[in-house]
Amino acid sequence: VFSQKEVWVCGCCYDCCMRCLGGVPYCSLVATLLCFSGIALFCGCGHQALTETERLIETYFARNLHDYITLAYIIQYFQYVIYGLASFFFLYCIALLAEGFYTTSAAKQTFGEFRSTMCVMTYLLAVLWLLVFAFSALPVYFFYNMDATCSTIAVLTETPASINQLCVDARQYGLLPWNAVPGKACGMTLSSICKTREYQMTYNLYVAAFAGAGITLLALLTYTVSSTYNFAVLRYLGRKGIGPRC
């Protein structure tokens, strides 16, 4: 049997725990985890996929260094951009999570009403990242077409004449200049490329990077929704003592 004092202490602890849990911005917390995982997947897999792409082009599609030197510089540039994206999103996600905690009811009672300016920034960032998401689909499309061509070659192995007409031309996708030699792979040569470990790994890395870009986009949209909700609640219901939970 608990004494009246023990019951009162338990009740106070329970109320304190409920207030603490009520002050956790769950939407922002979930969005932060999604953003960290998505950007890590996009940057890590994307960086390695670019390195493997350069190796594939150098080995199978271009014999002269001058044919792919421009592509090599572009790949190096994008890898530096990936370094910057990883650093930026790490800091930005932490800032958004901190804002989520700041705009809860418990924090609002301590610091007063708060009007967020990061909602618009997150919305603009989500729009820009939508372009990155679409751009990351391009290498997946290239390798998908290459894999489909290799599958067709595997079906038509009994007709060599037809197989030699099936090609993947890297010059058509803008990866190499039109005077690059050979610039394309056909028939059994293409089929042998598709069976290499480098090709399979590069394809999987681009798919993973594309998935990471999608997860990051989902995280930014979640941030936008939660920030909009927080701003609306603080503006219209703040004086009634009701705070946001995102």
Side-chain angles (χ1 to χ4, degrees):
V1 179
F2 294 100
S3 64
Q4 184 177 2
K5 182 178 180 180
E6 291 174 336
V7 172
W8 180 80
V9 171
C10 291
C12 290
C13 292
Y14 176 80
D15 292 338
C16 181
C17 291
M18 289 299 101
R19 284 197 298 269
C20 291
L21 291 176
V24 175
Y26 294 103
C27 297
S28 296
L29 184 60
V30 171
T32 300
L33 295 177
L34 286 174
C35 188
F36 281 156
S37 59
I39 205 66
L41 197 61
F42 175 78
C43 292
C45 294
H47 182 278
Q48 187 61 31
L50 289 172
T51 302
E52 295 297 330
T53 300
E54 182 180 359
R55 186 175 295 122
L56 283 174
I57 294 294
E58 178 184 0
T59 304
Y60 300 106
F61 291 92
R63 297 172 183 170
N64 194 333
L65 175 63
H66 297 286
D67 291 338
Y68 65 89
I69 189 65
T70 302
L71 177 65
Y73 282 129
I74 293 175
I75 288 176
Q76 186 178 20
Y77 170 77
F78 275 115
Q79 288 177 332
Y80 284 126
V81 170
I82 286 175
Y83 298 146
L85 283 175
S87 302
F88 170 77
F89 271 96
F90 177 78
L91 298 175
Y92 192 74
C93 289
I94 291 178
L96 287 175
L97 181 61
E99 185 203 22
F101 276 102
Y102 186 77
T103 52
T104 55
S105 59
K108 197 196 75 167
Q109 292 175 2
T110 304
F111 297 102
E113 189 170 337
F114 176 75
R115 289 180 171 81
S116 173
T117 59
M118 299 190 70
C119 179
V120 177
M121 292 177 56
T122 307
Y123 175 79
L124 295 176
L125 188 60
V127 173
L128 293 176
W129 193 258
L130 183 62
L131 300 177
V132 176
F133 177 67
F135 180 78
S136 64
L138 295 179
V140 177
Y141 174 74
F142 170 77
F143 278 91
Y144 173 80
N145 286 340
M146 190 171 176
D147 189 67
T149 305
C150 290
S151 299
T152 304
I153 292 174
V155 174
L156 300 176
T157 53
E158 297 180 357
T159 56
S162 300
I163 290 176
N164 292 330
Q165 296 178 0
L166 296 175
C167 303
V168 171
D169 196 336
R171 297 169 296 186
Q172 292 181 343
Y173 295 91
L175 299 177
L176 294 173
W178 283 105
N179 58 352
V181 178
K184 63 181 180 179
C186 303
M188 297 307 297
T189 302
L190 178 60
S191 180
S192 62
I193 294 174
C194 293
K195 295 177 182 178
T196 59
R197 185 188 65 85
E198 293 82 2
Y199 168 79
Q200 295 294 336
M201 182 174 64
T202 306
Y203 189 10
N204 293 332
L205 285 172
Y206 275 122
V207 172
F210 177 70
I215 294 173
T216 305
L217 180 61
L218 178 62
L220 292 175
L221 293 177
T222 305
Y223 274 132
T224 303
V225 173
S226 63
S227 299
T228 304
Y229 170 79
N230 289 342
F231 177 78
V233 170
L234 289 177
R235 182 171 183 177
Y236 298 107
L237 303 178
R239 297 186 181 278
K240 297 181 181 181
I242 303 176
R245 293 293 185 269
C246 288

